[in-house]
Amino acid sequence: VENGMVENLPDLYNLERDDIRKLQGFAEKSAGKLYRNIQNSRNPSLDRFIYALGIRHVGEHVARVLAREFGSLDKIRDAARDELEDTGEIGPEIAESIYHFFRDKRNRESLEGFYDAGLKIRKVEMERGELPLDGKRFVFTGELESCTRKEAIRKVESMGGRVTSSVSSRTDYLVRGSGPGSKLDEAEEKGVKILQEDDFISMMEDES
């Protein structure tokens, strides 16, 4: 930085061995080692890359949650606040920090710089279990007749699904009871699959 060789993080990938060797404290061997380490970091896993960005409140655990839930850097970058909070492990303060980080012009330019430098970020494989509804997201609206809302939620969660209070683009199913509220309109707008109560009950029975 002091020598004007690096102005932002992606510039590191433009350094050559000879550039590093000219720096104070570096010899041929140490310059070669640093150069190789930089080049070997061109294929990071998504969670490690997110953690390394230094986003406020985002430690290793949150970085891994983001990587598993969204699957790609582009999806994390473009996520709305409610989508970030919808993960279930990210609160409003962390969601706000992530949201603003990726909407900062300089940060977005740096991300483009990484792509231009040839970084290929590896996806983090989802650790799926054997539960039939693993990873599926449900939202309920209206009153159910065959069971209470709490009983329905427990049933979904026992099969590995997740129940959230708001509809987002990542919602898989909206379960519609009698007297549905505004969530029904939101689900229709977002193209979320809508289940009538009978459909929901049948799904639970089929998956049991």
Side-chain angles (χ1 to χ4, degrees):
V1 174
E2 290 175 355
N3 285 274
M5 299 160 62
V6 173
E7 293 183 3
N8 52 49
L9 289 172
D11 287 344
L12 289 168
Y13 293 96
N14 295 323
L15 293 175
E16 299 293 341
R17 284 187 181 85
D18 288 343
D19 296 324
I20 300 172
R21 188 164 50 82
K22 293 174 185 176
L23 294 172
Q24 184 177 356
F26 281 88
E28 184 69 33
K29 185 175 181 180
S30 56
K33 182 178 181 181
L34 178 56
Y35 177 80
R36 287 192 300 274
N37 286 340
I38 291 173
Q39 298 308 310
N40 289 339
S41 70
R42 286 181 180 273
N43 190 30
S45 62
L46 179 57
D47 59 326
R48 294 193 65 181
F49 183 79
I50 291 295
Y51 174 59
L53 289 175
I55 304 170
R56 189 182 182 196
H57 303 310
V58 176
E60 291 181 276
H61 174 69
V62 171
R64 191 156 185 82
V65 168
L66 287 168
R68 286 178 174 172
E69 290 288 335
F70 290 90
S72 74
L73 180 61
D74 288 345
K75 288 183 178 179
I76 298 172
R77 179 194 64 192
D78 297 334
R81 291 181 184 87
D82 63 337
E83 290 181 290
L84 293 165
E85 288 188 51
D86 199 29
T87 63
E89 295 190 59
I90 295 176
E93 187 175 2
I94 299 176
E96 189 76 11
S97 177
I98 297 166
Y99 179 83
H100 281 295
F101 178 90
F102 286 110
R103 274 145 191 83
D104 181 276
K105 182 180 178 181
R106 291 183 62 185
N107 291 337
R108 292 180 79 94
E109 288 176 349
S110 287
L111 292 178
E112 290 301 320
F114 281 121
Y115 288 136
D116 292 341
L119 258 71
K120 297 189 182 303
I121 302 170
R122 293 182 285 109
K123 291 183 178 181
V124 174
E125 293 298 323
M126 300 289 285
E127 294 181 359
R128 296 299 188 191
E130 297 181 356
L131 296 176
L133 297 180
D134 201 3
K136 298 297 183 182
R137 295 169 182 270
F138 289 74
V139 173
F140 290 88
T141 184
E143 185 175 350
L144 301 177
E145 297 180 1
S146 59
C147 61
T148 66
R149 178 75 64 86
K150 287 185 178 180
E151 289 171 339
I153 290 173
R154 282 199 295 268
K155 188 66 173 176
V156 169
E157 292 178 343
S158 71
M159 294 185 177
R162 179 179 296 174
V163 178
T164 61
S165 59
S166 59
V167 176
S168 75
S169 59
R170 304 179 70 226
T171 303
D172 294 290
Y173 301 103
L174 176 84
V175 180
R176 175 182 179 175
S178 59
S182 60
K183 293 177 185 177
L184 178 60
D185 294 331
E186 294 176 26
E188 290 175 340
E189 289 175 5
K190 296 180 186 299
V192 174
K193 185 170 183 178
I194 297 170
L195 298 176
Q196 302 296 332
E197 183 173 352
D198 288 345
D199 298 327
F200 171 70
I201 298 300
S202 295
M203 175 185 281
M204 295 299 102
E205 292 175 350
D206 290 343
E207 298 293 356
S208 296

